[in-house]
């Protein structure tokens, strides 16, 4: 079995979520987690899905798209991603309070990012896979995650965490 994180924009209409989950189930996959996140274009639904090994990224994207999802992305996930967001945020906040200079690494963990660092002034970043987070002391953290754009919900989480990193 493989674990995937799938995101899709869904029309806000009765039965749309049921159609998506039914399509996922028809492929022999199982939804382990689900959340709705805010994004500038509207809500984005996120699914953590366990799949048979032969089901890959393109089949998942096609399946969710055919069931009515748009702007569908699928990236491999780690079982640690299944820890609920509030628990993970509290654990990371405690770690940050113990070691404030580790904010970039902790923020990368919070967001499931590929990399993060203290930013010296990246200007003009227009890519939704790069998030620049201001810290109250005037510094900034740059966070990068390829293949899965950051949502407004994730940006808010990152900002709340940064507020602790004084």
């Amino acid at each position: 079995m493989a674990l995937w994180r799938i995101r899709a924009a869904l029309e806000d209409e009765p039965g749309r979520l049921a159609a998506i989950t039914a399509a996922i189930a028809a492929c022999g996959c199982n939804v382990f987690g689900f959340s709705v996140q805010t994004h500038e274009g509207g809500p984005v639904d996120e699914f953590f899905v366990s799949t048979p090994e032969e089901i890959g990224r393109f089949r998942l994207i096609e399946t969710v798209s055919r069931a009515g999802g748009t702007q569908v992305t699928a990236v491999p996930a780690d079982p640690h991603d299944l820890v609920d967001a509030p628990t993970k945020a509290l654990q990371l906040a405690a770690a940050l309070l113990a070691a404030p200079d580790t904010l970039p690494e902790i923020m990368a963990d919070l967001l499931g990012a590929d990399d993060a660092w203290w930013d010296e002034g990246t200007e003009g970043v227009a890519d939704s896979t790069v998030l620049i987070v201001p810290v109250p002391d005037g510094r900034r953290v740059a966070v990068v995650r390829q293949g899965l754009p950051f949502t407004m919900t994730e940006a808010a989480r990152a900002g709340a965490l940064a507020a602790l990193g004084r």
Side-chain angles (χ1 to χ4, degrees), residues 8-91:
L10 306 183
E11 290 294 323
D12 188 16
E13 60 186 43
R16 180 59 54 205
L17 180 58
I20 299 289
T21 57
I24 290 170
C27 290
C29 304
N30 188 23
V31 176
F32 278 0
F34 171 77
S35 68
V36 178
Q37 299 189 24
T38 305
H39 196 52
E40 61 234 10
V44 173
D45 292 24
E46 180 174 76
F47 305 85
F48 283 94
V49 177
S50 174
T51 68
E53 292 296 330
E54 67 272 11
I55 304 291
R57 174 190 326 260
F58 297 114
R59 174 115 180 252
L60 289 170
I61 291 171
E62 177 184 39
T63 297
V64 173
S65 296
R66 284 189 181 175
T70 60
Q71 302 170 4
V72 181
T73 59
V75 296
D78 184 275
H80 294 98
D81 294 334
L82 295 173
V83 173
D84 71 322
T87 300
K88 184 174 188 174
L90 288 169
Q91 291 169 338

Side-chain angles (χ1 to χ4, degrees), residues 56-144:
R57 174 190 326 260
F58 297 114
R59 174 115 180 252
L60 289 170
I61 291 171
E62 177 184 39
T63 297
V64 173
S65 296
R66 284 189 181 175
T70 60
Q71 302 170 4
V72 181
T73 59
V75 296
D78 184 275
H80 294 98
D81 294 334
L82 295 173
V83 173
D84 71 322
T87 300
K88 184 174 188 174
L90 288 169
Q91 291 169 338
L92 293 172
L96 179 61
L97 291 174
D101 286 335
T102 63
L103 179 59
E105 294 84 6
I106 289 174
M107 196 171 291
D109 192 4
L110 176 70
L111 301 174
D114 299 320
D115 198 8
W117 59 90
W118 291 108
D119 183 54
E120 297 294 326
T122 305
E123 298 296 332
V125 175
D127 188 338
S128 61
T129 63
V130 178
L131 181 64
I132 305 297
V133 184
V135 180
D137 66 7
R139 296 182 293 173
R140 300 168 3 148
V141 174
V143 188
V144 176

